[in-house]
Amino acid sequence: MSNSEKLFAEAREVMPGGVNSPVRAFGSVGGVPPFMVGAKGAYLTDADGKEYVDLVCSWGPALLGHAHPQIQAAVHAAVDRGLSFGASTPDEAKLGQLIKNRMGGVERLRMVSTGTEATMTAVRLARGFTGRELIIKFSGCYHGHLDGLLADAGSGVATLALPGSAGVTAATAAETLVLPYNDRAAVEAAFAEHGSNIAAVITESAPCNMGVVTPEEGFNKFLKDTTAQHGALLILDEVLTGFRASDAGYWGLTGRVEGWNADLYTFGKVIGGGLPTAALGGRAEVMDYLAPLGPVYQAGTLSGNPVAMAAGIAQLENATDEVYAFLAKQSAALQDAITSAFNAEGLDHSIQRAGTLFSVAFGTSATGVHNYADAQKQEAFRYAPFFHSMLDSGVYLPPSVFEAWFVSAAHDDAALDKIVSALPAAAKAAAAATA
């Protein structure tokens, strides 16, 4: 029995499913998840000493690579000063200013601890500011495990084939309108019927939890224009794409170019540099509805934790234009290699992109993936054999077809060569799979 098998057996005696986040259990791909004990640059090391090229990158935060020396130094210095004070610290505003400098629509910012907390607060704030109840979300978009937003969600919920979650009441679910993604007519119809009671539309800036789905050209601007017309707010969830898809998230590829801003943004992952922190930000008049200035309450003892702030500052200060250019180059090279390997096996597929993030979808070349229904129609049964072949070859992929792939600034040509060399056998395994 391997060390990972032993650790997984022990974990199942302590934690539900042996994990603290469902996708880690490998329920979608099968097998025993390797337990990781170390990470450096582009590589992970498991409890049995096996090394993997990592294309999960902690679901985004390892933008610069694992154990980046500047981030490590900043964290060590912060730890020496103390782990948590329960009081304000200088680095909270410093990290906030770095975010503001990249996001034109962020005038005020509130640090929280998780992406779920950020979206939860954004939804509460939108309702408090507008005095309205209803929220529109899109099928397949995942915004954390907030009760009202788990309806028809993607990511781990899609993997588990659950339409929502037990424990979410009918009354709570009724406060959310779930629409097909990229469907302008559905948005217009929802506002025509419920416009005076819609507080906000929340959307992933580019969905990454049903696999990556690229917004159709102008779709996010359409959402901004429609919400503004009806007195509602647009909440742009950049928890996965923020400072990942580009230096200003996916908004940087759309709103910055097209000249519009969301009313509220949510951030996470990358701004913590590997430590747990998140934020929401946006228009000052909306953000100032938060306590202590306004009537919408939110608080958190560990919000703005000094160690996490130090990591986030080091991350964004070192995420230069050169880093983003390198990420774009390596991501494109990897996508080309996947296409070549799949084409060599006659493996029908499409690659969905959101800046430097991407995912593969089997059996979708004719139509692509534009919404959750498209994502569900793909030949998902091909992913498990593909995944395990790559894993056996020392490449760690997202353990679900409904997740994005990530590269880092540490994914040099040697790391890419290892991935590319593993692709032919994995493509054969996927092509041979049967439903």
Side-chain angles (χ1 to χ4, degrees):
M1 180 182 289
S2 70
N3 288 332
S4 284
E5 288 173 318
K6 293 176 184 176
L7 289 167
F8 194 37
E10 292 170 1
R12 288 197 298 269
E13 295 298 318
V14 179
M15 298 176 288
V19 297
N20 284 313
S21 190
V23 74
R24 299 176 192 172
F26 277 32
S28 154
V29 294
V32 174
F35 275 55
M36 301 304 176
V37 298
K40 183 72 173 178
Y43 299 90
L44 295 172
T45 303
D46 72 13
D48 294 285
K50 183 173 180 179
E51 188 176 76
Y52 306 85
V53 182
D54 180 20
L55 289 172
V56 177
C57 294
S58 191
W59 305 104
L63 175 74
L64 303 175
H66 292 290
H68 188 271
Q70 274 91 345
I71 296 177
Q72 297 287 83
V75 168
H76 291 159
V79 168
D80 287 344
R81 294 190 293 269
L83 298 180
S84 180
F85 307 131
S88 297
T89 68
D91 280 353
E92 294 171 72
K94 185 174 182 180
L95 179 56
Q97 190 61 51
L98 288 172
I99 295 170
K100 286 181 62 176
N101 291 346
R102 292 176 179 235
M103 304 292 299
V106 174
E107 297 173 337
R108 297 280 191 277
L109 201 79
R110 172 64 59 89
M111 295 293 176
V112 292
S113 295
T114 68
T116 292
E117 190 180 356
T119 57
M120 175 185 73
T121 305
V123 166
R124 181 184 301 162
L125 180 57
R127 286 177 167 142
F129 181 78
T130 62
R132 301 174 178 182
E133 295 182 358
L134 295 179
I135 300 293
I136 289 177
K137 75 170 291 280
F138 295 102
S139 178
C141 284
Y142 177 71
H143 306 286
H145 55 271
L146 170 64
D147 280 6
L149 299 183
L150 270 179
D152 202 29
S155 189
V157 176
T159 299
L160 296 172
L162 299 173
S165 173
V168 175
T169 67
T172 298
E175 294 174 344
T176 303
L177 304 176
V178 182
L179 306 181
Y181 189 68
N182 272 327
D183 190 332
R184 298 186 186 208
V187 175
E188 290 170 341
F191 272 98
E193 183 173 354
H194 302 285
S196 63
N197 198 29
I198 295 173
V201 173
I202 184 169
T203 181
E204 290 183 77
S205 190
C208 296
N209 288 281
M210 45 180 153
V212 173
V213 175
T214 309
E216 292 179 359
E217 185 174 355
F219 183 68
N220 284 347
K221 183 179 187 300
F222 160 77
L223 295 179
K224 170 59 181 176
D225 291 344
T226 302
T227 51
Q229 177 185 348
H230 291 272
L233 304 184
L234 175 62
I235 304 170
L236 211 58
D237 183 341
E238 292 263 14
V239 168
L240 273 171
T241 53
F243 316 117
R244 249 295 178 182
S246 79
D247 65 316
Y250 201 75
W251 171 85
L253 303 175
T254 52
R256 182 167 61 184
V257 177
E258 297 163 350
W260 58 268
N261 294 307
D263 299 290
L264 292 171
Y265 300 82
T266 60
F267 306 105
K269 312 291 186 186
V270 169
I271 69 165
L275 293 180
T277 196
L280 66 149
R283 287 165 43 198
E285 64 176 318
V286 179
M287 289 296 297
D288 285 348
Y289 253 64
L290 284 173
L293 296 181
V296 177
Y297 192 74
Q298 181 276 332
T301 299
L302 296 180
S303 296
N305 173 269
V307 182
M309 296 298 97
I313 290 166
Q315 172 101 295
L316 291 186
E317 286 183 340
N318 285 280
T320 62
D321 290 345
E322 291 75 17
V323 164
Y324 289 104
F326 181 79
L327 292 174
K329 179 174 76 73
Q330 298 300 80
S331 178
L334 180 53
Q335 292 171 45
D336 288 344
I338 293 167
T339 297
S340 296
F342 284 10
N343 287 346
E345 295 299 325
L347 189 55
D348 185 271
H349 71 287
S350 63
I351 295 181
Q352 315 298 315
R353 303 171 179 87
T356 64
L357 288 73
F358 69 94
S359 65
V360 299
F362 295 101
T364 58
S365 65
T367 60
V369 178
H370 305 282
N371 51 46
Y372 191 33
D374 291 343
Q376 290 178 305
K377 291 175 185 175
Q378 69 176 291
E379 296 172 349
F381 63 88
R382 299 191 186 279
Y383 189 74
F386 175 74
F387 170 88
H388 279 288
S389 178
M390 295 294 284
L391 192 69
D392 290 343
S393 296
V395 180
Y396 189 74
L397 301 180
S400 167
V401 74
F402 294 105
E403 300 287 0
W405 299 27
F406 301 87
V407 296
S408 79
H411 280 72
D412 57 14
D413 290 344
L416 256 60
D417 287 345
K418 185 168 184 178
I419 300 168
V420 171
S421 68
L423 283 170
K428 285 182 182 295
T434 56

